[in-house]
Each structure stands twice: as structure tokens, then as C-alpha cells.
Amino acid sequence: MVSQVSIDMEQGVSQTTSTPINADVDNLGDNQDYTIIWITLGIIALYWWNKQNQKKNQEFLGAVYNEISNNKIIDSYSKFIKTPLGSRYEGVILRQGVKPSANQVLSIDNFLQRLSREQHIVLKKASQFETRKDVERALTQRELGIYLPIRKKMMERLDNIMSK
């Protein structure tokens, strides 16, 4: 501890007094502010927690995707028409007396093969129902947000077949 010593010459007594500036410097070692350390630890904990949750979500999607297996993924027109939803669309096309051309079938196949894992999962779930109302009841809002653009693109391709 830094202090000032003053000696009184007449009495021979020395007094030790601390100066205010030196007292603040001296007390820093005893009374540190750990705010920065706690903030840093909090950021690291949040980062670690977020990373663990992302890993769990990816593992869950991977497990569901593997559960579907490659044979059951709807990645071609022939697999699509074997589902209840696909057979309904095929029935409408056959009633019109139209047979899809090879290029139209390839267009549908290419579209289905470009879907992501999550889109495949949602399409697989939605294709188990024939009517739109049943699909809307079966899917969550998030899944509907994924399914509706897929449905729109499929309808465009099927309309292309029917307009031929």
C-alpha cells in the first residue's frame, strides 16, 4: 500500500496517511469488477446452447429423413402417382384423356429431385391425403408454409400436362 509518511520533527512521531488517489489504486486488486467476465461467459453459454439446439434439430431431421428411406421419398412422377394425392391428380389427367409426354414427366421428376430434405418430409406427409382440407388439417402452419409453394409448382406442371 502506497502511503505518505509525515514525520513531525518536534515530537518525533510519524503518521501514515493514504492519499485518495493511491487508495483507489490499492483497492482495485481487492475489489475487481467482474462484469466483463460475466458478459463474456454469458455470450459463450448462449452460443454453445444455440449450437447444441441446431445440432439436435439437424439430427432430428436426419433421423426422420432416414426413416422415410430413399425408396419412400417422392422424387419422381411414378412415385408421386402411387400416393393418394398423386393418384387423385392422375385420375383427373386420365379423365381428360391426356397422357403426359416424356419431357413433362422429366420436368416433374427434376422438380421433385431438387426438393430439400425438409420439403421431402412435408411432401411425404401431405401426399397421404387426397383433399386440400385434409392436408390443411394434417399439417402445422410451418409445414403448410413449406407445402403450399410445392403444391403451386406441382399444379403448374400438372396444368401444363392438361393443357396439352
Side-chain angles (χ1 to χ4, degrees):
M1 179 173 185
V2 177
S3 59
Q4 292 179 344
V5 177
S6 63
I7 300 175
D8 190 5
M9 294 287 191
E10 292 175 13
Q11 293 179 356
V13 178
S14 66
Q15 294 178 341
T16 305
T17 58
S18 297
T19 60
I21 296 173
N22 289 339
D24 290 340
V25 173
D26 289 339
N27 289 336
L28 275 180
D30 298 338
N31 192 14
Q32 291 182 346
D33 187 15
Y34 292 109
T35 306
I36 295 174
I37 294 172
W38 286 112
I39 290 172
T40 306
L41 288 174
I43 290 171
I44 291 170
L46 286 174
Y47 173 77
W48 178 80
W49 181 76
N50 189 27
K51 191 163 184 109
Q52 293 298 321
N53 280 346
Q54 285 177 351
K55 228 183 241 184
K56 287 178 185 176
N57 289 342
Q58 289 172 350
E59 289 172 0
F60 174 74
L61 286 177
V64 170
Y65 189 70
N66 290 336
E67 180 182 307
I68 291 176
S69 85
N70 288 337
N71 294 333
K72 295 182 181 179
I73 292 175
I74 302 171
D75 61 351
S76 67
Y77 178 73
S78 62
K79 290 180 183 178
F80 178 69
I81 61 174
K82 290 178 183 176
T83 65
L85 182 65
S87 64
R88 180 170 176 251
Y89 287 134
E90 183 186 32
V92 171
I93 292 171
L94 292 176
R95 274 186 256 140
Q96 295 289 327
V98 179
K99 185 176 181 182
S101 69
N103 287 338
Q104 291 169 331
V105 171
L106 284 175
S107 171
I108 294 172
D109 286 351
N110 287 335
F111 168 71
L112 291 172
Q113 290 168 1
R114 286 189 310 234
L115 296 177
S116 69
R117 284 183 173 184
E118 192 171 22
Q119 289 172 327
H120 275 295
I121 293 167
V122 171
L123 179 62
K124 177 67 177 171
K125 187 175 179 182
S127 66
Q128 300 306 314
F129 304 97
E130 287 187 20
T131 63
R132 182 178 177 177
K133 288 183 181 182
D134 292 339
V135 171
E136 289 175 353
R137 287 182 199 149
L139 299 179
T140 64
Q141 288 296 322
R142 183 174 173 271
E143 291 172 333
L144 273 175
I146 295 169
Y147 171 69
L148 290 177
I150 296 170
R151 182 182 182 277
K152 180 182 177 188
K153 290 177 184 176
M154 283 297 291
M155 292 300 290
E156 289 172 358
R157 285 169 172 75
L158 294 173
D159 286 343
N160 185 21
I161 292 171
M162 290 178 43
S163 66
K164 178 181 172 186

